[in-house]
Amino acid sequence: MDAEHVMMLREVLAATGWLERTGEFGRALRGSARTPGGLLLVGTPEDEPWHLAAHLDDESSLNALPGLSPTLVRWSPPPGAPAHLAVGLDRLEEARRGETLLVVAEDEAPVPLLERVDDARRVGATILAMDGGDRDLEGLAHEALTVPAADPLVTFDGAQHLVSAAAGQDPGRPRRGLRDRLARLLDAVTGPVVD
């Protein structure tokens, strides 16, 4: 992909509102995730959000935002897993005020997850949801970002990239900073421009 195509893609996304929606959700994530270890990230049994966890951890390191480094909550951590990969669903039962629970579910969230999210909300945790249109999950969330599967421009994975970049963005910088980061991301994915 050359520079002209990158510019076109940025303009297309800007015209659709995706940069603004993911930017707003990323800022909500950044604003609620202030305490180191207080950002809990959970997916569904079939799809744990490893990729988003890695990107948020990178943003945390690059921007000196320790609260943005997530604790990946897993459905079935294997015995003997390293500590950072051994956090199970019981951690959600320990959620408290001042913590943030980010639920990432492209497909419908299972009932046991919805019950734990509801419990976390009742004790004062901030609930954020990134989903494919799950009304039950969205009803529990303080902030939600819906990424419809039928959207031809942004995939669920692509939206996660945009959200993590926006979460790392300094709110004092102009919004076009997110577009610059998107351009760098696209350059990294597609390789350098050769004239």
Side-chain angles (χ1 to χ4, degrees):
M1 184 176 286
D2 60 31
E4 185 175 316
H5 286 108
V6 170
M7 178 75 95
M8 246 185 345
L9 180 57
R10 283 187 289 160
E11 291 302 317
V12 167
L13 288 177
T16 64
W18 271 112
L19 293 178
E20 288 76 15
R21 287 194 300 271
T22 55
E24 183 178 316
F25 189 78
R27 285 187 296 280
L29 174 58
R30 179 186 176 122
S32 67
R34 295 187 189 123
T35 308
L39 173 57
L40 308 175
L41 178 61
V42 67
T44 61
E46 298 79 28
D47 193 13
E48 293 181 329
W50 294 89
H51 196 95
L52 181 57
H55 283 291
L56 288 172
D57 197 50
D58 288 345
E59 292 295 337
S60 170
S61 296
L62 291 170
N63 297 296
L65 298 168
L68 202 54
S69 181
T71 299
L72 181 63
V73 177
R74 303 181 65 201
W75 283 80
S76 299
H84 70 286
L85 298 177
V87 178
L89 288 178
D90 55 335
R91 175 61 177 91
L92 298 182
E93 295 168 7
E94 301 166 9
R96 61 189 183 280
R97 181 173 304 283
E99 293 186 324
T100 299
L101 173 55
L102 173 55
V103 182
V104 178
E106 185 172 7
D107 298 318
E108 194 170 286
V111 171
L113 178 58
L114 293 173
E115 290 170 347
R116 286 180 170 93
V117 170
D118 186 42
D119 290 343
R121 182 183 169 109
R122 289 177 193 267
V123 297
T126 300
I127 309 299
L128 302 177
M130 186 172 182
D131 63 82
D134 185 335
R135 290 186 185 266
D136 291 330
L137 179 57
E138 291 170 10
L140 293 171
H142 294 98
E143 296 282 337
L145 176 67
T146 301
V147 184
D151 193 303
L153 294 175
V154 177
T155 64
F156 199 77
D157 187 52
Q160 291 178 56
H161 280 277
L162 294 171
V163 166
S164 62
Q169 177 77 28
D170 181 350
R173 292 178 64 195
R175 281 194 184 192
R176 66 174 239 243
L178 178 59
R179 290 186 179 125
D180 293 340
R181 292 180 76 170
L182 176 60
R184 286 196 306 267
L185 171 67
L186 290 171
D187 289 341
V189 170
T190 61
V193 175
V194 179
D195 290 329

